[in-house]
Amino acid sequence: MRRMSPNVPLLNDYKQDFFLKRFPQTVLGGPRLKLGFCAPPYIYVNQIILFLMPWLWGGIGTLLYQLGILEDYHTAALSGGLMLFTALVIQFTSLYARNKFVVVERMLTTDILAEEDEHEFTSCASAETIKFLIPGKKYIANTVFHSVLAGVVCGLGTWYLLPNRITLLYGSMGGTAVLFVFGWLTLCIGEYSLIVNTATETATFQTQDIYEITPLMRPLYIFFFVSVDLAHRFMLNMPALEQMNQILHILFIFLPFLWALGTLPPPDALLFWAMEQVLEFGLGGSPMSSHQRLLAMFIISAGAAVTSYFIPSTLGVVLFMTGLGFLLSLNLSEMGFVFKQSVIRHKVRTKSEALPTGQETQFTWKECVFYFTVLVLALLETSLLHHFADFSQISKRNPQAIVGYILMILVIILWILREIQSVYIFGIFRNPFYPRDVQTVTVFLEKQTRLMKIGVVRRILLTLVSPFAMIAFLSLDSSLQRLHSVAVSIGFTRAFRMVWQNTENALLETVTVSVIHSLIFSKDLWWNKSLNTGIRLLLVGIVRDRLIQFISKLQFAVTVLLASWMEEKQRRKSTATLCILNIVFSPFVLLFIVFSTVLSSPLLPLFTLPVFLVGFPRPIRSWPGAVGTAACMCADTVYYCQMVPSLAAALQSAMAGGSLGLLLPGSHYLGRFQDRLIWIMILERGYTYCCINIKGLELQETSCHTAEARRVDEVFEGAFEQEEYARICSPNEHFGNILTPYTVLPVKVYSDARNVLSGIIDSHENLKEFKEDLVKVLVWTLVQYCSRRPSVQENAHETGNTGEVPLPVPSALNPSPQPQCPEDIDSLNSETLDEWSDDNIFDDEPTIKRKKEEKDQLKVLPDTNLPLPGSVESWEVNDNSTGKVPDNSLYKAVILGYPTTDKGKQEDMAYIPLMEFSCSHSHLLSLPEEWRANCLPTSKMKEMSSLFPEDWYHFVLKQLECFHSEEKASNVQEEIAKDKVLRDFYIHVVMTCYFSLFGIDSMTPSPGHILRVYNGVLPWSVALDWLMEKPELFQLALKAFRYTLKLMIDKASLGPVENFKELTNCLEEYESDWYIGLVSEEKWKEAVLQEKPYLFSLGYDPNMGVYTGRVLTLQELLIQVGKLNAEAVRGQWANLSWELLYATNDDEERYSIQAHPLLLRNLTVQAADPPLGYPIYSSKPLHIHLY
């Protein structure tokens, strides 16, 4: 995309008009009072009547209650019944209107604004009018369910808004009138979206509402408010509940604004967010990598907390909490999967002993032994301390206080050891212990040796020492000695779980509680009187999390505000006004940030401008889909697939050593290497494991992508490429950026080098040598292929030493008695080669003018005595032969394909007599029979056979190592080399392939010719069909051609090849260590995944007009990794979701996707899950072991 002016409209004119029509509909819950076309008045009147219908039935019930005719619950039943009947009538009327007439379905379009299509209305009750006003439900079950729900909502709403009830709460008639009127307005909005027409919600989580969950959103919140009022009615003498009810009655009338602003989440997002929050802060767990894992872990964890309440023994409770907390913090699903696979492997291995033993299984058993040992030690420690310790009350010298001091020392040590592992301390000052000028893997590993040793110490302290110290602190707590309550069960279940689930956070929380406990001596203070240690830890954990979120959100808001003014390319005409408004109303902005922090929801910058809204709470992953199931796959995806295993191994070492800082679910990291950008997100965290998702961003360099990638490079260069004489503890020059450098990781990746081949591929001398080398490479390729053919080697022992094989001999070496055609060469040059010219080297295929001729293919017919035109009759071997050949299998009439005719004249084609090998071992190198058919005129084959390098042919044969005979290998090779029949077959096939690639023209090939053949587009010739009908031979010839090109480039760059041995070494290196082909080929991807050391591809740059060579080299290189501001990412993703799903602003040049050097806006949008983002690679959840 191109860089645009910052004053580009946030929404184009068409989308602005659409937004102005959609937003009032969202505010009112569905009525479309602003249309894009002229509609009759009854359209608006009908919508108003349908909108006020709940108020009408509720008003009737309210009036009867106020007059004393009905009780309050009878009033609710009457209003609910009337609303239920009305809802059923509305829904079945819509269903009848849809089924009454046969509707011609319009073709579906991809236009998301299709709702603006004009409608033709004939009357106020016509089918078209009803379908416009009441679209209806997709499912009959929802038709009934939503109608019943509408009746319940209306009945409870009537009960909730009874004037007498409101007056009792506030004692003010004026306040009662206001709450009654606006409260019923809220109810009407909720009812309309449920039974008439559902508005598009600004808080959209799913891209498609398949099960019609959106209509339930507004009634769901109405139910919540009513439920609190019902609880207050039936639970008397609870001042806190009464105050809450009063607050919610006032907040009830503001629900339409919260719905319109998208602050309240839809039901699905609310469910997953609530489970995540309860699991993390109430039960001591972690956000999970999938909804299924979240649901399963939530149920198990809640069941554990409930079970602990019913255990009568205090010792049993402590042991239960310790053991289950440890087990639930492990990655049980992966361990179960590996165990299952090991069992399957064991069963298969008992049936087939050929299967190799798996190291993964052995490692898993070691891991299980480690976990079992830790569990036993933890249970033993807990039971001993709980049973024998002296539980005194508030005292400085009790055992728990001593353990608290030990934990304080551990926190300080672990914090120091973690900070010195990364390049910056606090993200501000450069770490003096971190290696300077990190550019090569070898130098970096040498300088990082000390840090790695420190990382090992930190790992031991964090994995083994800290958990046992915290278990001691908890086991010594006096709260566990008394009869436990619900608060004790919840608090300590979470505490014993957090010790293992997130040790660093648990250690900080425990130390905080210990410090507060040591500073407060009064037993009457609510902290000591009302709260047990488990609940204190819970409260401290919530405060810790929200404080980190608040700081991140505040930093994000300040960055957006300052960047909008200080970055000239981000400055719009409205920027000054927005900045002044943010300063003037800074208390409200701060309030929005606090409210967003309390809800743990993203801070949404509208269009990424300094206009802040509170986004709706959602799971920490931000997206509803499963991780790693969607990506915009392309040719570059394979490079990320190749590097992920090595990157995961490097991340394991870095995370375990503390180089990536505090590992929290929802953290985002950005990696950079050459033109690759890697996005890493932590999904869940447990004891000795961490689950991550790795995304790969596009490699193509758009202007926005390039601008932000350049800033990323500058940030990393300033951190990792400092001179030796640079100032110690120098500040981070890019502190305001949302990216903070942390470390570099040695990863096995492909480095990409592109070279211009000018002066090499267009050199006349090089191209002349190319033709000579091609014949040699063809010989080497075919000999290597034949020596490795499994069928030949398997059948070699069956043939014995008979030496009898009826193989046809090329006609060039056994000329026919028929006269030769004198126009062979002229016709070939004029008709076949001239039509494949270099005029346009970019065509996918050359222009070929072919006459419509029937192709006679090689056929084997049954024995017959009738002579066939163009056939060679079977003949009997003479007495001088060394053996006999079976008549039925070998002496069959063979029809040879006719050669291409020239101007109506047929070429001379000699029959091929049957010959025998002179060496019994020649079978090992025999060519497939289907390759021996003749296709070239005799005169051409005789002329081209002189180009065959016999000395090279003999040398290649002598280098083979495929003979397992009792005779000496050298003698066997000598005999095979002297076999003229075998040599003649090789001459025939090699020269035919040579002719197919170049033709018989003695002119030097052009660079365009080289490029086309390299790409697999061969010139037309009489041998083209012959070669194309043999795919295996065609691939061998193409491989030889590409090897020859690489040889030409190497000779031009590194010097000439001195002898045959050196040439053989080059070709063997190409075969084993190189893949030479096209980037678009499937084998290229396979070579990358197989981690071939080198890959080469030939290309052409039309802009510069030069030929290029691309070389990928597999080597261990350094990937720079930095941590992103998680709240900045969540905020930008929340705006992306709102902008695309609600405002439908999918313009590729929109303002909110333009390059932003501080927010990395374009890269953040790319990293979002499809369909809103477009990463080219997204991994499944990867489990990283942290030990």
Side-chain angles (χ1 to χ4, degrees):
M1 86 182 45
R2 57 189 177 86
R3 300 288 298 276
M4 299 184 63
S5 167
N7 290 313
V8 62
L10 302 176
L11 291 170
N12 58 39
D13 294 338
Y14 187 66
K15 296 292 178 65
Q16 287 180 16
D17 184 60
F18 169 76
F19 177 78
L20 292 177
K21 286 181 289 189
R22 169 172 278 192
F23 189 69
Q25 181 185 356
T26 301
V27 173
L28 296 177
R32 289 180 276 187
L33 302 181
K34 180 176 174 57
L35 303 174
F37 54 92
C38 183
Y42 55 77
I43 294 296
Y44 303 98
V45 174
N46 287 345
Q47 292 186 88
I48 294 174
I49 293 174
L50 291 172
F51 181 81
L52 296 177
M53 192 65 68
W55 202 341
L56 174 63
W57 303 135
I60 292 174
T62 301
L63 180 62
L64 294 176
Y65 171 75
Q66 292 297 120
L67 294 176
I69 300 176
L70 294 177
E71 297 292 335
D72 53 358
Y73 47 87
H74 291 154
T75 299
L78 175 63
S79 301
L82 292 174
M83 192 64 225
L84 172 61
F85 175 77
T86 304
L88 290 173
V89 170
I90 291 173
Q91 288 300 312
F92 283 102
T93 301
S94 173
L95 185 63
Y96 173 76
R98 282 184 291 164
N99 297 330
K100 184 177 181 180
F101 301 104
V102 177
V103 180
V104 178
E105 294 289 342
R106 297 179 179 178
M107 292 182 63
L108 295 177
T109 63
T110 58
D111 185 10
I112 197 172
L113 309 178
E115 61 186 68
E116 292 191 354
D117 293 342
E118 294 190 10
H119 299 263
E120 296 181 1
F121 305 107
T122 56
S123 67
C124 64
S126 64
E128 182 71 19
T129 302
I130 294 175
K131 287 185 291 182
F132 174 78
L133 295 177
I134 313 168
K137 308 296 180 182
K138 291 188 291 185
Y139 308 105
I140 296 297
N142 281 340
T143 299
V144 177
F145 174 64
H146 290 181
S147 299
V148 173
L149 189 61
V152 175
V153 169
C154 185
L156 293 177
T158 303
W159 203 2
Y160 185 73
L161 295 175
L162 289 176
N164 287 351
R165 177 67 178 172
I166 300 175
T167 304
L168 286 176
L169 286 175
Y170 299 100
S172 171
M173 293 299 297
T176 299
V178 172
L179 292 178
F180 180 80
V181 172
F182 288 100
W184 267 108
L185 185 63
T186 300
L187 272 175
C188 290
I189 291 173
E191 292 278 15
Y192 196 95
S193 66
L194 182 62
I195 62 169
V196 183
N197 183 23
T198 304
T200 303
E201 299 289 353
T202 51
T204 303
F205 188 57
Q206 301 280 354
T207 54
Q208 293 182 339
D209 187 18
I210 300 176
Y211 302 106
E212 296 180 313
I213 298 176
T214 303
L216 303 177
M217 173 182 168
R218 304 193 182 201
L220 176 67
Y221 290 102
I222 293 175
F223 269 122
F224 170 73
F225 281 76
V226 173
S227 63
V228 176
D229 182 69
L230 292 177
H232 179 219
R233 287 173 183 266
F234 298 107
M235 299 174 65
L236 303 177
N237 300 323
M238 292 188 66
L241 193 60
E242 181 180 0
Q243 293 177 2
M244 185 178 179
N245 194 18
Q246 291 174 345
I247 295 173
L248 291 182
H249 266 80
I250 298 174
L251 190 60
F252 186 77
I253 65 176
F254 293 99
L255 277 179
F257 298 100
L258 297 177
W259 288 329
L261 294 176
T263 303
L264 299 178
D268 48 353
L270 176 64
L271 174 65
F272 294 124
W273 170 81
M275 285 196 300
E276 199 174 78
Q277 294 293 308
V278 174
L279 177 62
E280 183 176 3
F281 300 106
L283 302 173
S286 164
M288 307 305 287
S289 59
S290 66
H291 296 324
Q292 294 80 7
R293 287 172 62 91
L294 176 63
L295 181 60
M297 186 57 70
F298 177 80
I299 294 174
I300 296 173
S301 301
V306 172
T307 304
S308 66
Y309 177 76
F310 294 99
I311 298 177
S313 169
T314 57
L315 179 61
V317 169
V318 173
L319 292 176
F320 178 80
M321 291 178 177
T322 303
L324 204 60
F326 175 78
L327 293 176
L328 292 180
S329 67
L330 300 177
N331 192 8
L332 295 177
S333 60
E334 188 192 19
M335 294 176 63
F337 175 77
V338 174
F339 177 76
K340 181 180 177 181
Q341 293 298 318
S342 64
V343 172
I344 295 175
R345 277 200 214 102
H346 179 71
K347 292 181 179 179
V348 175
R349 195 174 293 121
T350 56
K351 298 179 181 180
S352 175
E353 296 181 357
L355 292 176
T357 59
Q359 296 181 356
E360 182 181 357
T361 305
Q362 298 174 4
F363 178 77
T364 303
W365 284 114
K366 293 179 181 179
E367 185 179 353
C368 290
V369 170
F370 168 75
Y371 289 145
F372 180 76
T373 305
V374 172
L375 176 60
V376 171
L377 292 176
L379 293 175
L380 184 62
E381 179 193 15
T382 302
S383 59
L384 291 176
L385 290 177
H386 179 76
H387 185 71
F388 295 108
D390 179 19
F391 296 94
S392 58
Q393 298 299 319
I394 306 299
S395 173
K396 286 186 177 183
R397 297 180 181 179
N398 63 7
Q400 190 179 31
I402 297 174
V403 176
Y405 295 137
I406 296 174
L407 292 176
M408 295 177 196
I409 298 173
L410 275 175
V411 165
I412 297 173
I413 294 175
L414 286 174
W415 176 81
I416 295 174
L417 295 182
R418 187 186 71 221
E419 288 296 322
I420 65 176
Q421 292 290 324
S422 57
V423 67
Y424 284 117
I425 298 175
F426 294 120
I428 303 175
F429 303 104
R430 198 182 194 282
N431 180 9
F433 300 99
Y434 199 85
R436 293 177 179 271
D437 194 18
V438 177
Q439 294 183 355
T440 61
V441 177
T442 306
V443 175
F444 172 73
L445 293 179
E446 290 178 358
K447 294 182 177 180
Q448 204 193 22
T449 304
R450 289 179 299 175
L451 294 180
M452 293 177 65
K453 294 178 181 178
I454 294 175
V456 172
V457 174
R458 178 185 177 276
R459 194 181 313 170
I460 295 174
L461 291 177
L462 188 63
T463 307
L464 296 175
V465 178
S466 298
F468 286 99
M470 284 186 285
I471 286 177
F473 180 86
L474 296 174
S475 301
L476 294 170
D477 193 80
S478 59
S479 301
L480 294 174
Q481 288 290 64
R482 298 188 296 269
L483 184 64
H484 52 276
S485 60
V486 174
V488 170
S489 297
I490 295 175
F492 278 93
T493 299
R494 176 192 177 275
F496 278 103
R497 172 85 174 271
M498 278 289 292
V499 165
W500 309 101
Q501 190 81 48
N502 198 326
T503 307
E504 287 184 272
N505 285 342
L507 189 60
L508 180 62
E509 295 168 11
T510 307
V511 168
T512 304
V513 169
S514 179
V515 170
I516 296 175
H517 184 74
S518 63
L519 295 178
I520 300 176
F521 303 105
S522 175
K523 296 181 180 180
D524 298 329
L525 195 65
W526 66 274
W527 179 264
N528 290 326
K529 183 179 181 180
S530 304
L531 304 178
N532 60 71
T533 302
I535 298 299
R536 295 172 197 158
L537 290 171
L538 189 150
L539 294 176
V540 171
I542 294 176
V543 172
R544 172 197 53 79
D545 178 79
R546 295 305 190 259
L547 183 61
I548 294 175
Q549 281 195 39
F550 177 78
I551 295 173
S552 297
K553 284 182 170 68
L554 185 62
Q555 183 181 1
F556 172 50
V558 171
T559 300
V560 172
L561 182 62
L562 295 181
S564 64
W565 177 257
M566 299 179 65
E567 290 286 337
E568 184 177 353
K569 294 182 179 179
Q570 305 300 323
R571 193 181 303 164
R572 299 173 57 86
K573 294 179 180 179
S574 59
T575 299
T577 304
L578 292 176
C579 291
I580 293 173
L581 290 176
N582 274 274
I583 295 173
V584 172
F585 296 99
S586 57
F588 294 97
V589 174
L590 202 60
L591 184 63
F592 273 29
I593 296 176
V594 171
F595 187 44
S596 172
T597 301
V598 171
L599 293 178
S600 188
S601 62
L603 182 67
L604 192 155
L606 201 61
F607 298 105
T608 64
L609 293 173
V611 179
F612 300 104
L613 300 176
V614 179
F616 66 88
R618 64 199 80 191
I620 201 71
R621 292 188 288 114
S622 296
W623 307 112
V627 174
T629 56
C632 302
M633 308 287 284
C634 67
D636 295 327
T637 302
V638 67
Y639 303 114
Y640 289 110
C641 294
Q642 176 273 325
M643 71 181 297
V644 161
S646 178
L647 177 60
L651 286 171
Q652 174 182 355
S653 176
M655 288 179 171
S659 299
L660 296 181
L662 191 62
L663 302 178
L664 297 175
S667 299
H668 298 265
Y669 297 87
L670 185 67
R672 176 68 168 166
F673 167 70
Q674 287 190 353
D675 57 350
R676 268 159 265 181
L677 284 161
I678 304 102
W679 194 284
I680 305 166
M681 180 181 181
I682 298 181
L683 302 174
E684 63 179 88
R685 175 83 159 84
Y687 182 63
T688 69
Y689 87 94
C690 187
C691 186
I692 65 172
N693 168 241
I694 298 177
K695 294 178 182 178
L697 307 188
E698 63 179 358
L699 303 187
Q700 64 179 9
E701 297 183 355
T702 60
S703 59
C704 294
H705 181 101
T706 304
E708 292 188 353
R710 189 184 305 116
R711 178 56 65 92
V712 171
D713 291 335
E714 292 175 0
V715 171
F716 283 132
E717 287 172 4
F720 299 116
E721 299 180 11
Q722 291 195 352
E723 301 293 337
E724 291 294 336
Y725 55 83
R727 194 155 48 97
I728 299 178
C729 296
S730 58
N732 181 7
E733 298 178 357
H734 301 277
F735 177 70
N737 199 293
I738 69 168
L739 175 66
T740 301
Y742 264 69
T743 188
V744 292
L745 305 176
V747 179
K748 199 174 184 181
V749 293
Y750 278 102
S751 62
D752 195 347
R754 302 170 191 260
N755 303 314
V756 176
L757 300 180
S758 299
I760 298 178
I761 197 173
D762 52 0
S763 170
H764 180 77
E765 294 297 327
N766 291 341
L767 294 174
K768 184 178 179 181
E769 291 183 11
F770 179 89
K771 292 191 66 176
E772 299 174 359
D773 291 336
L774 178 59
V775 183
K776 297 179 182 178
V777 180
L778 278 169
V779 171
W780 183 86
T781 303
L782 291 177
V783 170
Q784 293 293 324
Y785 169 78
C786 293
S787 67
R788 297 170 184 172
R789 286 176 64 205
S791 59
V792 173
Q793 295 179 6
E794 290 172 2
N795 297 331
H797 300 286
E798 299 177 4
T799 58
N801 298 323
T802 60
E804 302 171 13
V805 176
L807 298 176
V809 176
S811 58
L813 307 175
N814 295 272
S816 166
Q818 299 179 8
Q820 299 182 10
C821 177
E823 300 177 35
D824 284 349
I825 299 179
D826 294 338
S827 64
L828 286 173
N829 288 340
S830 61
E831 290 284 322
T832 66
L833 300 180
D834 291 346
E835 294 172 358
W836 194 82
S837 62
D838 293 333
D839 294 339
N840 188 359
I841 65 173
F842 304 112
D843 289 344
D844 292 335
E845 294 184 1
T847 304
I848 301 175
K849 301 177 182 178
R850 299 189 180 186
K851 299 179 181 180
K852 294 182 180 179
E853 300 174 346
E854 296 183 0
K855 295 186 292 184
D856 299 347
Q857 299 180 353
L858 186 68
K859 299 179 181 178
V860 179
L861 302 178
D863 292 338
T864 178
N865 294 326
L866 297 176
L868 298 175
S871 68
V872 179
E873 296 186 29
S874 60
W875 52 279
E876 187 173 353
V877 180
N878 55 29
D879 296 337
N880 297 329
S881 302
T882 57
K884 300 294 182 182
V885 183
D887 292 339
N888 292 337
S889 62
L890 299 177
Y891 295 108
K892 294 183 178 181
V894 180
I895 300 179
L896 297 178
Y898 289 105
T900 306
T901 58
D902 177 35
K903 300 180 180 180
K905 299 179 182 180
Q906 182 174 341
E907 295 285 352
D908 59 313
M909 292 297 298
Y911 67 86
I912 303 177
L914 298 177
M915 299 294 291
E916 302 173 10
F917 289 139
S918 61
C919 175
S920 60
H921 296 281
S922 296
H923 306 288
L924 296 174
L925 301 178
S926 63
L927 294 161
E929 293 183 12
E930 62 270 16
W931 294 2
R932 304 166 191 158
N934 230 359
C935 68
L936 292 180
T938 304
S939 58
K940 303 308 165 200
M941 184 57 68
K942 290 180 72 175
E943 179 183 347
M944 295 175 61
S945 61
S946 61
L947 301 176
F948 187 82
E950 292 196 20
D951 52 348
W952 167 252
Y953 169 73
H954 293 161
F955 179 82
V956 171
L957 291 180
K958 293 178 181 179
Q959 299 297 314
L960 294 177
E961 298 179 357
C962 62
F963 305 105
H964 305 282
S965 174
E966 295 179 357
E967 305 178 29
K968 292 184 178 180
S970 59
N971 295 335
V972 174
Q973 294 167 351
E974 287 290 341
E975 292 180 13
I976 294 177
K978 294 177 181 180
D979 192 332
K980 294 183 179 181
V981 176
L982 181 64
R983 181 202 62 185
D984 293 341
F985 287 142
Y986 273 97
I987 292 175
H988 166 69
V989 176
V990 168
M991 301 318 298
T992 306
C993 292
Y994 179 84
F995 175 76
S996 302
L997 296 172
F998 275 133
I1000 61 171
D1001 202 340
S1002 59
M1003 294 180 60
T1004 304
S1006 66
H1009 180 109
I1010 299 291
L1011 178 63
R1012 280 194 296 269
V1013 177
Y1014 185 93
N1015 291 335
V1017 183
L1018 273 61
W1020 187 85
S1021 66
V1022 294
L1024 179 61
D1025 289 341
W1026 176 87
L1027 184 60
M1028 297 302 292
E1029 289 170 359
K1030 303 165 181 59
E1032 201 167 10
L1033 180 59
F1034 172 76
Q1035 291 299 326
L1036 290 173
L1038 186 59
K1039 182 173 77 169
F1041 187 91
R1042 292 172 174 176
Y1043 281 11
T1044 309
L1045 174 66
K1046 184 65 175 65
L1047 179 63
M1048 180 185 74
I1049 296 174
D1050 289 347
K1051 288 167 63 177
S1053 304
L1054 306 176
V1057 176
E1058 299 295 339
N1059 48 49
F1060 285 167
K1061 183 64 177 176
E1062 188 176 346
L1063 177 58
T1064 304
N1065 293 338
C1066 288
L1067 296 178
E1068 289 176 351
E1069 182 185 354
Y1070 295 159
E1071 186 73 18
S1072 61
D1073 296 342
W1074 287 79
Y1075 177 77
I1076 303 173
L1078 298 176
V1079 177
S1080 58
E1081 292 176 339
E1082 195 65 28
K1083 289 185 178 180
W1084 179 282
K1085 298 178 182 179
E1086 294 175 3
V1088 172
L1089 295 178
Q1090 294 170 2
E1091 295 192 340
K1092 277 275 188 179
Y1094 307 97
L1095 292 91
F1096 173 83
S1097 177
L1098 178 67
Y1100 181 81
D1101 188 346
N1103 297 323
M1104 299 178 61
V1106 294
Y1107 295 90
T1108 59
R1110 182 182 183 186
V1111 178
L1112 298 184
T1113 305
L1114 184 65
Q1115 52 188 326
E1116 195 173 37
L1117 298 171
L1118 296 176
I1119 291 183
Q1120 300 161 330
V1121 179
K1123 191 172 185 178
L1124 296 161
N1125 185 328
E1127 294 304 322
V1129 174
R1130 293 183 68 201
Q1132 293 183 76
W1133 280 356
N1135 172 72
L1136 176 68
S1137 178
W1138 178 88
E1139 197 172 346
L1140 266 65
L1141 297 181
Y1142 182 77
T1144 68
N1145 189 23
D1146 56 353
D1147 188 356
E1148 293 183 355
E1149 303 294 343
R1150 62 185 183 272
Y1151 171 78
S1152 61
I1153 202 175
Q1154 300 300 311
H1156 196 298
L1158 292 181
L1159 297 179
L1160 304 181
R1161 186 166 52 193
N1162 185 264
L1163 299 180
T1164 305
V1165 169
Q1166 287 184 50
D1169 281 6
L1172 305 185
Y1174 44 97
I1176 65 174
Y1177 172 80
S1178 181
S1179 71
K1180 296 288 185 180
L1182 302 175
H1183 299 275
I1184 307 297
H1185 298 280
L1186 305 180
Y1187 49 77

